[in-house]
Amino acid sequence: MKRLFRHSQSPNPSTHRGRQRSTRVSTGTRLGLLLLCSVLVVGLVITTNFAVAQSDSSLQEQEDQLIREYTLPTTPQKEPVYKPAPAAPPKKSTSPTRKRTTPAPSQPPPQSQPTRSAPTSTEPEEPAPARRSPAPSSPAREEETAEAEPLPTGEYVLQFNRSPIVGNRFRFRGVYSEARLGFTRPRGWKIQGAKALIRFQHSPALIAKDSNLTVRVNGTSVGSVPLNRQQSEVGSVLFNVPSRLIQDYNELTIVARQSNDEECSDPGDPTLWTEVLPDSELQFEYQPQPIPLNFSRYPYPFFDDLSLDTNRIAYLLPKVNDTWLTAAPRFQAALGRMAEFRPIDTEIINDLEDIEWGQRLVVIGTPAEQPAIADLDLPFSISGNQILDGNQVALPSDVGILMMTTTLDGAVPVLVVTGNGADGVAKAAQFLVQPDSRKFGTGQAVLVDSLKEVDTPSLRNWPGYLPEENSFTLSEIKTKENGDPFEDITVRGSAAPPIPIDFHALPDDQFTRGSSMTLRYSYSPQINPRTSAVEVLLDGTFIGGARLTSEDGATRKRLKVDLPPHLIKPDSQLEVAFRLNPREPGVCGKVTDQQLTGTLHADTSFNLNRQQSVQLPDLGLFQEGYPFAAPQDLSRTAIVVPDSPSNTDLLTLLTVSERLGRLSKADSVNLDAYTTTTLPAEVREGHHLVGIGTREQFPFPEVFDGSGFRLQDAFSRQWNQGSIQALPDNEGMIKEIMSPDNKERVLLALTAQTANGLERVRQVISKDPWFFQLQDDTVLISSNQQDTASYDPDAYTLEFLERAPSTSRIENTGVLSKVSRFIQDNWFFLPAGIFAIALLLYGISQFYLKRLSDQKSH
């Protein structure tokens, strides 16, 4: 083996030469492969560079083509500037509104008069602080001021009774009491001076030297007045408010310190009271600032969420067509979402000369549909009813065009939503109704070439309502103020306010027994365990609580509270209240309680037992937008007007769109509107419908043929087999029925015998005090006032009729739930059913007994 091993290792000349040849061949092969790889790499690089060059050339060609198609016009020397007039509008010019090539100098409107003079009082006024000069405006506001020419100064009076907190009285009780009022500063206002006129009465039992009224603005005191009036006489004092204190959002705080005993005043003494009268007011002296129009500021100035007055929108009406019916309701619905609780006054005008001071004009349609577009001062030129780019080439029909301008005097801003075709107009309007899209708009004009399509949310995805899951935590509920998730909340003191939680059930939720809430809370030491507690209330009803038993405080305690199913509604509110009392009693009304705290933790959990079940029709559910706002982008709702709609019909269309916008929250608006003849069959069958019009032109005459209350020819009306004729019949009617074409869809009828009656329907839909009274399935609306736009709470009378017998239940439940629901709805058949079942069982048992006896006999 050793020799074999050595032999195998011994050199062999022939073998060695073969190996050398093999090595040379292998080396040559490697060199060849390396050379081949190098050639391939070089070729690949050349090919790649050529492809990249071709791609870059192609992209450059596409960009050049894009630029060639969408060449922008020369940038104007000056942006259009909105110059709001402070008070009454200037007189209407008789000259036509024609397009100008150079900016014409605008004449300043005449000096405005005060909205109203300050109320006089026979009482001597208290000395007021010296008036201070207004602080210089911030750099941000100076950048917005495009013109050096100052506008006239105006005055504005804001009375306290406009706040729902004040109402008819504003009372302060106890030894120390304070109340707060919020107000805003409209955009474009430069405050020159501000005053607070406080009119008050107080108890004659107060000691003047120990009782006073203090006013603070944004935490800074602006003055005090002693409560020294005799026999509850009305006092009046005028406080100067430094203009530098006024911000966009402001808080006026009134503090009343009251004493009726030099040694000790009982906080519960009913003679410790002061009332601030509701005609107290804030007086502003301001100078409106000219604002350059730019889409980076949109929706201002067309909608100002800081305005103290109603935002006024005017639509220039073209010949009604599908383009306008698609774009205008969606735009109005988007305004409703932005407005939330703020009012909007909407009008329709037929000519540019009809525009009024204080309005904002919206022009929707192509130049062919809206000839007045050619009369406006716009960056794009128009020829042959076509909008041209910078090369005087017509823009494509599917490109949306948005432009801002003003009337010739600059006092009315104008928003133009247009394009050279219906697709372009719809795309331009859709850009404004999608929050994510309009965020990156800027400049005076915007071309909308493409727009991201927003997915439709699920039917039960309603922001602001309870989550779709049955188990969730408090942090998954959004706050009402800013829509952020709830976090741990701490309150302090013995008079700590309850912590509110919007507990809005989805409109089609039906709750059963077993729903519960696991409250997690903490509290501080030094409390009195005998009188301190935590309470849970649902719509003001106590549903659970526990004593705070530890004098040393506690951290993350748990309390399980049952949620009564019959109390949970779409507008419900939970409250967690900490009743904190100190260990040591107060002396002479002075209680040291600021060391007492209670904390509600965000991991408080909820476990709900619920199912989807709702009975329709029900106008009470319309208060929440159901079922028209399911899904929240309104994509399953269509509004239908007559083929030749009147201005009242179209205003009602815009009002309903605005209301649906206020009742929904989504990333887009896909609401559709049609005339009677253009309504597609698939939409009629698959959508919830809203019909608008007087009885003679109503799009769905079957509403007047079914059961319940009906309007007929010759001003006749029928109900419960009775029939009458009324002359005149100026009542409006809101009626909800199941759609004749689909029993799972709803048809809402907004109608009347006359246009006056339909206008009353529109006013009820637009104003919250009446809209949130709707119930049952039919409402008759009457009024004894000529001014149907009145805000008087007694302006309208609503008469609710009983539910019609033809109802439908929309549900998504199991078999057991359906059987349970059937038994609950038909309980009066239960005794007969039990008797029938007993009789059946008796018959079966007798049959078997007889059969057994026969078998035995055989």
Side-chain angles (χ1 to χ4, degrees), residues 37-252:
C37 289
S38 300
V39 172
L40 291 176
V41 169
V42 172
L44 181 61
V45 171
I46 294 174
T47 303
T48 302
N49 291 337
F50 180 73
V52 170
Q54 281 189 331
S55 177
D56 291 343
S57 176
S58 177
L59 289 175
Q60 185 66 32
E61 289 178 0
Q62 292 177 7
E63 291 177 359
D64 293 341
Q65 182 70 18
L66 187 64
I67 294 174
R68 210 166 32 246
E69 292 179 354
Y70 303 101
T71 301
L72 299 179
T74 304
T75 304
Q77 295 180 354
K78 285 188 177 181
E79 291 180 306
V81 177
Y82 167 47
K83 301 176 182 178
K91 293 183 179 180
K92 197 178 294 183
S93 174
T94 57
S95 59
T97 309
R98 290 298 173 187
K99 192 171 183 177
R100 63 180 186 270
T101 56
T102 58
S106 60
Q107 298 295 331
Q111 178 68 32
S112 61
Q113 300 296 325
T115 306
R116 64 177 293 275
S117 59
T120 58
S121 173
T122 57
E123 303 297 326
E125 289 189 354
E126 298 293 329
R131 179 173 177 176
R132 302 181 183 180
S133 59
S137 59
S138 62
R141 291 187 176 269
E142 288 179 357
E143 290 177 2
E144 293 183 349
T145 305
E147 305 257 343
E149 179 185 358
L151 294 174
T153 300
E155 294 184 1
Y156 189 92
V157 173
L158 178 64
Q159 288 194 334
F160 284 13
N161 59 9
R162 287 179 56 179
S163 170
I165 298 175
V166 177
N168 295 322
R169 67 175 186 175
F170 204 22
R171 175 161 288 196
F172 301 81
R173 297 180 180 273
V175 295
Y176 180 89
S177 179
E178 67 177 44
R180 298 174 176 85
L181 287 176
F183 64 95
T184 59
R185 175 186 60 186
R187 289 181 169 87
W189 275 23
K190 182 179 180 181
I191 301 295
Q192 305 284 19
K195 297 178 182 180
L197 177 64
I198 307 299
R199 289 169 48 79
F200 61 93
Q201 288 179 296
H202 62 80
S203 169
L206 298 185
I207 301 175
K209 66 182 182 65
D210 295 330
S211 305
N212 56 69
L213 200 68
T214 303
V215 176
R216 297 198 298 257
V217 175
N218 294 330
T220 301
S221 296
V222 296
S224 297
V225 58
L227 301 177
N228 56 4
R229 300 303 191 267
Q230 302 296 323
Q231 302 300 321
S232 298
E233 295 177 345
V234 175
S236 180
V237 59
L238 190 66
F239 298 101
N240 273 345
V241 180
S243 58
R244 68 176 184 275
L245 295 180
I246 306 299
Q247 305 169 6
D248 286 346
Y249 295 92
N250 306 276
E251 185 178 72
L252 176 75

Side-chain angles (χ1 to χ4, degrees), residues 554-575:
T555 303
R556 306 195 69 81
K557 296 281 290 182
R558 295 165 57 96
L559 173 64
K560 186 173 182 180
V561 178
D562 290 332
L563 298 174
H566 63 282
L567 293 181
I568 306 176
K569 302 175 182 177
D571 58 349
S572 292
Q573 186 178 67
L574 272 174
E575 290 181 332

Side-chain angles (χ1 to χ4, degrees), residues 369-400:
E369 298 163 349
Q370 294 279 18
I373 293 179
D375 297 333
L376 299 172
D377 186 12
L378 301 172
F380 289 91
S381 57
I382 300 175
S383 176
N385 290 329
Q386 293 288 304
I387 301 176
L388 310 179
D389 64 6
N391 290 333
Q392 301 303 302
V393 177
L395 290 165
S397 61
D398 62 345
V399 172

Side-chain angles (χ1 to χ4, degrees), residues 538-599:
L538 182 58
D539 291 334
T541 301
F542 175 83
I543 59 174
R547 287 177 53 196
L548 307 181
T549 57
S550 176
E551 296 182 0
D552 298 328
T555 303
R556 306 195 69 81
K557 296 281 290 182
R558 295 165 57 96
L559 173 64
K560 186 173 182 180
V561 178
D562 290 332
L563 298 174
H566 63 282
L567 293 181
I568 306 176
K569 302 175 182 177
D571 58 349
S572 292
Q573 186 178 67
L574 272 174
E575 290 181 332
V576 178
F578 288 92
R579 313 300 184 189
L580 306 174
N581 294 309
R583 294 174 57 185
E584 301 296 332
V587 178
C588 194
K590 298 179 181 179
V591 180
T592 305
D593 62 352
Q594 291 305 296
Q595 78 281 5
L596 305 179
T597 62
T599 300

